[in-house]
Amino acid sequence: MAEKNYPRHVAIIMDGNGRWAKRKHLPRAMGHRQGGEAVRRAVQAAETLELECLTLYAFSSENWKREESEISDLMGLMRRFIEANLKDMIERGVRLKLIGDYKAFAPDIVTKLEDALERTKDGTRTLAVALNYGSQQELARAAGLAALEGEVTPETIEKHLYTADLPPLDLLIRTSGEVRLSNFLLWQAAYAEMLFVDVLWPDFGEDHLREACEEFARRERRYGGR
Ligand code: FPP
């Protein structure tokens, strides 16, 4: 049953893997691994809550500044995530969508990602994953493409955003208690509700997503009107 006034499109800045690991005196890689489990839970919860689209910030264009070993841990996680979850995504009707310049990743990951895009293309719900994504870069690219076509307006920019085929963003969540957007969906967040939750990403589960949707349903959106 569709819940009344639940968001159609929720995006999450998954923050706090490192702090989760530190609190438990574990290596950062363990935090990311548990973060990967939280991704799996969130995708399932999105299905239970009947969200049309869940967008996750998995790797920002600024994340290349992290230590090589951490980048390599994250890439390994990405490979394993696709291998372990692709079949399930196809069966559950989840369409993978990528936002960002994912082609900068290692060729074997790009191949896996493109295979997953192809094999999930008939899915009816969307999991959008931001990979090598930066919102300012996305906007500069979209404005450039719009200019090439002759006219730069909000509509022509929007048409060239990676998210052009997704429903409007309703709710943006950031975990871990940090209160900033970190170059994520700046344009798309113009009228989105925002929620900053004090839970580290590896601890985030279905109940947190449900509570966030309920909080969204309680808020009144006016889109600049009265
Ligand atoms: C933030 O934690 C998280 C990331 C930079 C990466 C997010 C990646 C995952 C959750 C796992 C992989 C994703 C997929 C789709 C398989 P942080 O390291 O910035 O935490 P900290 O601020 O506590 O150090």
Side-chain angles (χ1 to χ4, degrees), residues 14-20 28 32 35-36 39 56-59 63 66 70 74 77-78 81 129 131 176 178 200-201:
M14 311 182 286
D15 195 11
N17 294 350
R19 275 161 285 168
W20 183 92
R28 284 181 70 81
H32 292 314
V39 169
L56 301 176
Y57 204 5
F59 196 89
N63 283 155
R66 295 196 176 196
E70 183 171 355
L74 284 167
L77 202 55
M78 220 88 79
F81 186 86
V129 184
L131 295 177
S176 93
E178 303 289 338
L200 300 174
W201 176 249

Side-chain angles (χ1 to χ4, degrees), residues 192-217:
E193 293 292 325
M194 297 199 199
L195 197 60
F196 298 91
V197 296
D198 226 342
V199 177
L200 300 174
W201 176 249
D203 291 328
F204 194 89
E206 176 173 330
D207 288 347
H208 297 107
L209 189 58
R210 185 186 304 278
E211 274 164 34
C213 291
E214 277 166 13
E215 168 67 22
F216 172 88

Side-chain angles (χ1 to χ4, degrees), residues 82-226:
I82 305 169
E83 279 159 15
N85 293 286
L86 180 57
K87 190 163 160 279
D88 195 49
M89 283 176 66
I90 298 167
E91 283 170 7
R92 288 169 178 267
V94 178
R95 173 180 82 111
L96 178 68
K97 155 100 189 170
L98 300 175
I99 66 173
D101 185 12
Y102 70 90
K103 291 191 180 170
F105 283 5
D108 74 295
I109 298 187
V110 174
T111 303
K112 275 194 203 332
L113 287 169
E114 291 183 341
D115 174 59
L117 288 175
E118 174 58 27
R119 290 171 65 192
T120 61
K121 70 177 188 315
D122 295 327
T124 51
R125 294 181 313 105
T126 303
L127 170 65
V129 184
L131 295 177
N132 193 22
Y133 174 87
S135 188
Q136 292 175 340
Q137 292 85 332
E138 176 188 37
L139 281 166
R141 174 182 170 274
L145 291 169
L148 277 178
E149 286 180 3
E151 207 188 3
V152 183
T153 66
E155 291 73 27
T156 60
I157 289 178
E158 187 137 336
K159 199 176 89 184
H160 291 292
L161 296 177
Y162 292 122
T163 51
D165 64 336
L166 300 179
L169 179 63
D170 293 314
L171 174 63
L172 177 63
I173 302 171
R174 183 175 187 139
T175 61
S176 93
E178 303 289 338
V179 185
R180 57 180 177 273
L181 292 182
S182 300
N183 205 14
F184 190 50
L185 302 181
L186 303 178
W187 178 286
Q188 296 84 342
Y191 289 106
E193 293 292 325
M194 297 199 199
L195 197 60
F196 298 91
V197 296
D198 226 342
V199 177
L200 300 174
W201 176 249
D203 291 328
F204 194 89
E206 176 173 330
D207 288 347
H208 297 107
L209 189 58
R210 185 186 304 278
E211 274 164 34
C213 291
E214 277 166 13
E215 168 67 22
F216 172 88
R218 282 193 293 272
R219 292 187 189 179
E220 188 191 351
R221 298 169 88 195
R222 287 194 289 272
Y223 299 96
R226 289 191 64 226

Side-chain angles (χ1 to χ4, degrees), residues 22-42:
K22 193 168 183 187
R23 276 184 203 173
K24 294 190 155 25
H25 307 284
L26 293 168
R28 284 181 70 81
M30 284 300 293
H32 292 314
R33 194 184 303 174
Q34 288 307 309
E37 281 303 302
V39 169
R40 208 179 41 74
R41 286 198 302 271

